[in-house]
Amino acid sequence: MASLNVGNLGEYLREQRRNAQLSLRQLADAAGVSNPYLSQIERGLRKPSAEVLQQVAKALRISAETLYVRAGILDAERDRDEAETRAVILADPSLNERQKQVLLQIYESFRKENGFGVGEPEAEENAVLDADGSDADIGIDTDAGIDAGPRRTAG
């Protein structure tokens, strides 16, 4: 099998696994992936999805964004601040998963509005924001016929 450009990721994962004093099998079990698949990732033969990287990061107790950068999913220089912000939101123990996802979508919508696109599908963003009405107070245009403007009256 030809080596993909993910060797840096594999070496980094191996180093993190060893620092955590986990065997390949233990990490694979903790991350919910197969032992052979994880071995191929560490050897640079497979490029894992963002979801798999997130599972591995959680098992290693490290930032998923760090793995995304090493895998080439995030651009290290351009997306460093965004990755750090996302990591802080995702690591906040006082928020549940739904709240984290909604907060990330709001953050991404503001970045888009300010000219920093993140490549997320707009329809997916709107579906979550419309479901709980959280977009009405922040001025996000959802194209769903909801008036997102201010609700104040002159007085």
Side-chain angles (χ1 to χ4, degrees):
M1 205 180 265
S3 180
L4 302 173
N5 191 15
V6 291
N8 187 26
L9 170 67
E11 292 168 16
Y12 181 76
L13 280 177
R14 182 177 291 124
E15 179 183 323
Q16 294 303 309
R17 177 177 58 78
R18 289 179 177 163
N19 287 343
Q21 299 180 340
L22 293 171
S23 71
L24 191 65
R25 185 176 305 270
Q26 288 171 320
L27 179 56
D29 288 343
V33 299
S34 74
N35 187 30
Y37 182 61
L38 186 57
S39 175
Q40 290 174 344
I41 294 169
E42 281 193 0
R43 290 181 288 140
L45 301 175
R46 296 274 184 174
K47 183 174 182 177
S49 68
E51 182 179 323
V52 168
L53 288 175
Q54 186 174 24
Q55 291 170 249
V56 171
K58 186 175 180 181
L60 288 170
R61 297 182 181 182
I62 61 174
S63 165
E65 282 73 16
T66 301
L67 297 184
Y68 295 161
V69 169
R70 292 197 178 257
I73 295 172
L74 289 178
D75 180 1
E77 295 302 318
R78 190 188 70 200
D79 295 333
R80 183 163 309 194
D81 289 339
E82 180 199 1
E84 289 174 3
T85 301
R86 288 169 126 315
V88 169
I89 292 169
L90 291 170
D92 189 334
S94 66
L95 300 174
N96 66 38
E97 289 305 310
R98 172 130 172 89
Q99 291 168 331
K100 290 176 185 179
Q101 292 305 312
V102 170
L103 187 54
L104 286 172
Q105 290 170 346
I106 292 169
Y107 172 68
E108 290 167 2
S109 72
F110 284 144
R111 285 181 51 85
K112 284 180 188 176
E113 184 177 308
N114 293 332
F116 298 96
V118 292
E120 291 285 322
E122 188 175 332
E124 184 178 315
E125 172 184 309
N126 294 337
V128 174
L129 293 176
D130 287 347
D132 63 4
S134 63
D135 62 337
D137 294 327
I138 60 171
I140 296 173
D141 180 12
T142 63
D143 296 324
I146 297 173
D147 177 13
R151 302 225 189 277
R152 298 181 186 160
T153 58

